[in-house]
Amino acid sequence: MLWAALSVSVHAAPDLRPGQEGPQAPQTTPRSAAVVNTTTPIVVDGTLDEPAWAAAATIGDLVQRQPSPGTRPSEATVVTILRDADNLYIGVVAHDSEPRRAIGTQMARDASLAADDRLEILLDTFGDQ
């Protein structure tokens, strides 16, 4: 089982150059999730042990984007979202029945993770899909 917490300061996405397109996601029904306000400090340390995580609802069932778009994931993944006055916190518990088979070969900063097992978090800050 993998426990992770990600703190993201929310900023606008960089502008694309003319003719450049961003990544395309499969067409899905729009979904939303509750983001819980917290005033309790969150420590980004890979452990979701603050009381705010336990008190917040999860975002619900996920769907695959790859390799089978729109289907249920093969492993359970639980995502919870918190925010405070300055940050957005995304807590992920990614279960894996065979963790020793996880592929993680790209360790360089900004390396392509296309060949690795990974979880992507996409924020549609402009609401334009």
Side-chain angles (χ1 to χ4, degrees):
M1 180 170 28
L2 169 70
W3 292 75
L6 172 65
S7 172
V8 179
S9 295
V10 180
H11 301 283
D15 291 332
L16 297 174
R17 291 184 289 251
Q20 182 182 13
E21 292 184 15
Q24 297 297 312
Q27 294 297 324
T28 59
T29 304
R31 297 176 56 187
S32 62
V35 178
V36 177
N37 251 342
T38 185
T39 55
T40 322
I42 300 296
V43 178
V44 180
D45 60 0
T47 304
L48 307 178
D49 58 359
E50 291 87 0
W53 292 113
T58 65
I59 68 168
D61 294 334
L62 301 179
V63 293
Q64 281 191 46
R65 189 164 177 224
Q66 290 179 339
S68 305
T71 63
R72 294 189 70 194
S74 58
E75 303 282 351
T77 303
V78 180
V79 180
T80 306
I81 306 173
L82 302 173
R83 75 177 187 95
D84 61 22
D86 299 313
N87 299 290
L88 177 69
Y89 301 95
I90 303 172
V92 178
V93 178
H95 298 270
D96 192 335
S97 59
E98 298 181 83
R100 295 199 188 292
R101 295 188 65 193
I103 300 170
T105 59
Q106 303 303 313
M107 300 299 158
R109 179 180 173 158
D110 299 327
S112 170
L113 302 177
D116 287 1
D117 290 330
R118 66 196 182 280
L119 175 113
E120 292 181 354
I121 298 171
L122 305 172
L123 301 175
D124 183 15
T125 60
F126 293 110
D128 60 4
Q129 302 288 315

